Every structure is written in C-alpha cells, then in structure tokens.
Amino acid sequence: MNATPPVRILLCDDHAVVRAGLLALLGSEPDIEVAGEAGSGEEAVALAARLAPDVVLMDLQLGEGIDGVEATRRISATGVHVLVLTTYDTDADITRAIEAGATGYLLKAERPEELFAAIRAASQGRTTLSPPVASRVMAHMRRPRPTLTDRERDILAQLSQGLGNRDIARALFISEATVKTHLGRIYDKLGVDTRAGAVAVAKEQRLLP
C-alpha cells in the first residue's frame, strides 16, 4: 500500500529566526515537508510558481516590497492554497487576507497542534480560522451595513483609485482638511484605520459604485 505523500509547505516570513523556528517545528511532523523558504513577498510568489507547494504559510507584514496580502492574492490566483500565519488580527487585516484568497487565517499564538491541523486542512482546501479571528469574522458579518453620506462615498471612490488627499481635494473641489475629516469618519464607520483597509471593506460590502 502506497503511503500518502507529505504535505509540501513553502514558508514566507521576513524574520529568519521565525522561519528557523517553524522549520524545526514542522520537521517534527512526518506528514509535513518544508519545500522552501521565502523572506519576501516577491520571493514567495516566485518560489510558489517554481516549487508548486501544497500550502504556502504566509506572514502578512513582510518589510519592503509587496506585503503578505498582495503575495497571497498572486499565489492563490494560481491555485496554490495560502494559510496566513500572523500576529495581526485586526478587521482590516482579516478582511484583506480573506478577500485576497487566503484559505485560512491563523495567529502565531496558536498551539503547534492547531497549526499542524490547519496546514492539513488547507492542503485539502478547507478553511481554518483561529478562534479570535472566527469571532471577528462572525461579528463583522452580523454588523449592520454602514451608512455613508454621498460625499463619503465620493471620497471612497477616489481612494479606491489610489489618489492621495491632495488629489482627492482637487477632484472634488474641497479642501485637504475636509478630506481628512471625511476620511476619519469613513474609518470610524468601517471599523478600519488604514486607507487600504477602508477600500477592502468598502469593496467587500459593495459600498463603491
């Protein structure tokens, strides 16, 4: 009888010490094999294309270059499963990662057994969320859809095109101070604290035209 082949993993984390720790941890599991390591988003995308792993273990914050969300988007588009492993569990991070195609979202504080189980689940395309993340996702789904003013929608639309405050002010014939005030209100209503997070939530909740 043929043994089941091990789940092949690609590690992506910009901290070499973290990668070494994961390498040692995963090496204790006979049915999990680390096929490669990446220290940046670009490297992860290139290695995923070359190695065709079953699962990419992806951190979100990767220093310079593309972040873990963009790397997840590019890798998952090729059909490779991406399991996010991070310390960040804000609504914006979770929303962006899931929207980018992440199969699962795990926090680094989880026990090793939970990580092993999540990797095996991800290799089969099944979703695993850390309990705090699952709670946030459920709360987010239950939250009433935010009501934005017409002006806030206009600013969000400009934001989604990648415009800065000065360009948004010029496009809408308002002052930069007014743009900042509206952005603060938009962030509060959407429960985010970054421009990328606002755009991600707006797309998810279909608040953009």
Side-chain angles (χ1 to χ4, degrees), residues 13 18 20 39 52 65 71 78 86 101 109 120 127 141 147 156 170 177 209:
D13 196 297
V18 174
T78 68
T86 184
R120 294 177 185 116
T127 299
M141 290 175 67
T147 303
L156 252 182
R170 285 176 180 163

Side-chain angles (χ1 to χ4, degrees), residues 79 102 148 153:
L148 300 179
R153 286 176 181 275

Side-chain angles (χ1 to χ4, degrees), residues 34-96:
V34 177
E37 302 175 49
S40 69
E42 287 86 352
E43 191 179 3
V45 172
L47 280 176
R50 185 158 62 84
L51 300 174
D54 299 306
V55 177
V56 176
L57 216 50
M58 178 71 68
D59 192 14
L60 291 184
Q61 304 295 329
L62 297 173
E64 294 183 3
I66 63 174
D67 65 4
V69 171
E70 180 57 31
T72 294
R73 180 175 290 109
R74 297 185 190 181
I75 293 170
S76 61
T78 68
V80 174
H81 300 302
V82 178
L83 174 60
V84 170
L85 181 66
T86 184
T87 55
Y88 303 92
D89 67 344
T90 67
D91 287 357
D93 285 322
I94 295 167
T95 298
R96 291 178 64 224

Side-chain angles (χ1 to χ4, degrees), residues 4-28:
T4 304
V7 178
R8 297 175 66 252
I9 303 293
L10 170 63
L11 299 179
C12 180
D13 196 297
D14 62 337
H15 292 102
V17 172
V18 174
R19 293 200 308 274
L22 285 170
L23 198 59
L25 184 66
L26 296 172
S28 68

